[in-house]
Amino acid sequence: MALSWLYRVSFYRRIQISLLLFLIIPLLLITGLSYVANKQANEENVRMNMRGIIGILANDLSKTANEVTYTVNQYAPSQSNGLFDSLRGLSSLMVFDSFENYRMYTRLNESAALQAGKLSLAHVNVFFVNRAHYPIIGTINAQDAAVLRKDSRFEHLTEEEASTGIVRWFRAEQRSSYGNVFSASYYLFVKKTVYDPFRNLVLGTLFIGIPDVYFEGLFSNAGEGVFTLYEADGSRIAGMASSPASLSEGPAEGWMREKTEVPGTSWMLTYDMNADLATGDATQRFWYLIMAVCIVMFVFLFMSSVIAKGLNRPIQKLMRIASQYGEGNSSIRYHAEGQDEITNLGQSINSMLDNINALIRKVEAEQEEKRTIELYALFSQIQPHFLLNTLNSIKCNLAIEGDKVHSETIDALMALLRAHLRVHEPLTLADECKLLSQYVSIMRMRNRLPIELVIDLPERARKVLVPRLLLQPLVENSIIHGFSHASLSPRIEVAVREAEGGFLIQVADNGKGIASEQAEALNRKLEKQVEQVGDRGIGMYNVMRRLKLTFGGQASLHVRQRADGGFAAHLFIPRNEFDEGKEQADDKGDADR
């Protein structure tokens, strides 16, 4: 059994183990499940908060992107604010060669400053370079514009692209060798090339740069975690110091991520948070509870050990008394003190020992009386050799007097008696069949039945060794249960055939037979080696047991009802167990007598 080891330890240890199994371990299991449930609930709450925060930030970024797009669209030819006319007049400016150009330049910068102020962003960098790459809006100069042109993204769009009114976003970092043009570590620029559809010319390109301080302020005020803005291709647009460089990198191990698209743009905003921040409190409470359970368990084990020792001492004393009594000290007794259960048990043991002493004295007296009776019985026992010699003398006298029938019957009885005296020794199938003939001759006379015994034994199987008297119970079953005094022509057939892997022995009769249901039930019990009491059961079970013990698991016995009436038993003896070619001289002598 799975818990059999539990019964090999002391009783108070069983109590401790039982408490651990049925109280402490379920408590730890419930605590663990509660921790997992709370952790999942906390994670879900944190994720809901993250989705809410990232949604608000996405809306803010969408609003900013829309405002920037609205601002650059103010320079389109369809607007009536005069900005397009000024850009057209200054599209080829390289040097202020007239007052009118300067006045147009001043008016254009005032209008651009007003438009940029509507963005409500701190330190937005706005500049416009004309067709000749001369800056006419913003704080950069011609030298700065020349430095920026080293980056192809600061070039004008082609006339074909500009004619569509396309707006492009890109990130420009300070480390890209822009010199002192930019003060921020990076800008998110929106770029739009203004196109004159009347002249089919590019008038210049407007750049509006959103600095890093805008994104840092927006992300840092949103809460704990890492916010990152990515372009559609997965490249980083803006973020924090620990933001992943690419969207494909995924969150760090042990971090949670929520992401959403920024409405009206192709951007993707992600929000990464350390999972420990979400489950830290639940984990801390869980370990505090584990520590408390461990402390309680330690205190319990300590107190139970102290209490158990107080209970164990008198039990050990009772065990020593039992041990010494078993060694022969019949006068030892338990010294009972107090009124507890152990004292009552000790008093009961004292009474039991007194009763045992009285019983021993009574048994000793009875045994002495039995020895006297057995001594007389020994003298009256008859030795088997005396019986055999006596039967042999009777057989000789009958033969001398000419009573051959009774002489042969006594000779058959002597052969069976010798076989029973040496039943543990094997013999050949030929000798076994000869014993069957002698047994049937005795039963023929005893039951006054003309029993016919037919034996079909091939020469190859004659020297096969089998247990002595193996087939006799089967023949006896046929005579006792198969025939009656009114039976006509009773016949028993014993046939041996060579089969695959061994020999098959059939013992069949033409008696009243057995029902099919009874045969199936008997075969099932024989297969399971279940001893049966009743018709044919005991003899069949003994034959099966001797077969299995002698020849192993391959040997078998099964019964059936014959098609033409009667009963048949089939024995299979495996070949690898045979000991052919050996005959024991004493067995041969038994068969010859």
Side-chain angles (χ1 to χ4, degrees), residues 132-380:
H133 295 284
Y134 185 80
I136 58 176
I137 296 177
T139 59
I140 68 172
N141 52 38
Q143 291 80 8
D144 294 338
V147 172
L148 292 178
R149 288 188 65 189
K150 296 178 181 179
D151 188 344
S152 61
R153 295 178 297 178
F154 286 98
E155 290 284 353
H156 302 305
L157 295 176
T158 64
E159 293 180 356
E160 182 180 356
E161 292 175 330
S163 64
T164 62
I166 188 172
V167 174
R168 290 188 176 175
W169 295 83
F170 65 91
R171 173 187 171 109
E173 299 186 10
Q174 179 64 35
R175 65 174 180 268
S176 299
S177 302
Y178 298 133
N180 297 322
V181 179
F182 300 142
S183 58
S185 61
Y186 68 87
Y187 279 91
L188 178 60
F189 276 104
V190 61
K191 164 186 174 180
K192 180 173 182 178
T193 298
V194 181
Y195 179 72
D196 186 350
F198 307 104
R199 298 178 182 177
N200 295 325
L201 293 174
V202 171
L203 301 180
T205 302
L206 176 67
F207 296 92
I208 300 179
I210 306 174
D212 55 356
V213 293
Y214 166 74
F215 295 104
E216 292 175 358
L218 180 67
F219 293 155
S220 61
N221 293 331
E224 296 179 344
V226 177
F227 298 89
T228 312
L229 186 64
Y230 295 98
E231 188 53 85
D233 60 359
S235 59
R236 183 175 61 183
I237 299 176
M240 307 177 73
S242 57
S243 295
S246 174
L247 180 62
S248 60
E249 291 184 11
E253 185 176 357
W255 286 60
M256 299 183 296
R257 168 172 287 185
E258 289 293 332
K259 59 183 180 180
T260 185
E261 296 180 354
V262 178
T265 70
S266 61
W267 303 338
M268 179 69 70
L269 181 63
T270 63
Y271 182 13
D272 296 345
M273 176 178 281
N274 193 338
D276 291 339
L277 298 177
T279 60
D281 293 340
T283 302
Q284 189 176 23
R285 289 194 299 270
F286 172 74
W287 286 114
Y288 284 157
L289 184 58
I290 291 295
M291 291 175 60
V293 171
C294 291
I295 292 173
V296 171
M297 186 169 60
F298 174 78
V299 172
F300 162 75
L301 292 175
F302 175 76
M303 295 302 297
S304 63
S305 297
V306 173
I307 296 174
K309 287 182 179 179
L311 295 174
N312 196 42
R313 279 194 294 269
I315 295 177
Q316 291 290 337
K317 186 177 180 181
L318 288 173
M319 292 173 61
R320 287 194 298 270
I321 290 174
S323 177
Q324 293 181 19
Y325 185 86
E327 293 175 356
N329 187 2
S330 60
S331 61
I332 191 170
R333 294 295 184 273
Y334 178 77
H335 182 63
E337 295 180 354
Q339 299 295 325
D340 56 14
E341 290 81 357
I342 300 296
T343 301
N344 294 335
L345 178 61
Q347 293 174 349
S348 300
I349 290 177
N350 289 340
S351 300
M352 181 188 69
L353 296 180
D354 293 339
N355 294 333
I356 290 176
N357 286 339
L359 183 61
I360 289 175
R361 289 192 294 270
K362 181 179 179 181
V363 170
E364 288 177 348
E366 291 177 353
Q367 290 296 325
E368 182 65 25
E369 191 173 333
K370 286 182 179 180
R371 280 195 296 270
T372 304
I373 296 174
E374 290 175 355
L375 183 61
Y376 287 105
L378 288 174
F379 291 101
S380 61

Side-chain angles (χ1 to χ4, degrees), residues 480-532:
I480 295 176
H481 303 293
F483 304 139
S484 64
H485 290 288
S487 298
L488 297 175
S489 303
R491 179 186 177 93
I492 299 175
E493 299 175 358
V494 178
V496 181
R497 292 290 182 269
E498 189 170 3
E500 182 179 359
F503 282 88
L504 184 66
I505 304 174
Q506 175 181 281
V507 179
D509 62 60
N510 61 349
K512 64 181 181 180
I514 185 173
S516 299
E517 296 79 8
Q518 292 178 333
E520 292 176 0
L522 182 56
N523 283 327
R524 287 193 296 270
K525 292 187 177 182
L526 290 175
E527 183 177 355
K528 297 179 181 179
Q529 298 189 37
V530 177
E531 186 172 3
Q532 180 185 4

Side-chain angles (χ1 to χ4, degrees), residues 12 63 70 162 274 450 453 457:
Y12 78 94
K63 180 180 178 182
Y70 172 79
N274 193 338
L453 177 63
L457 180 61

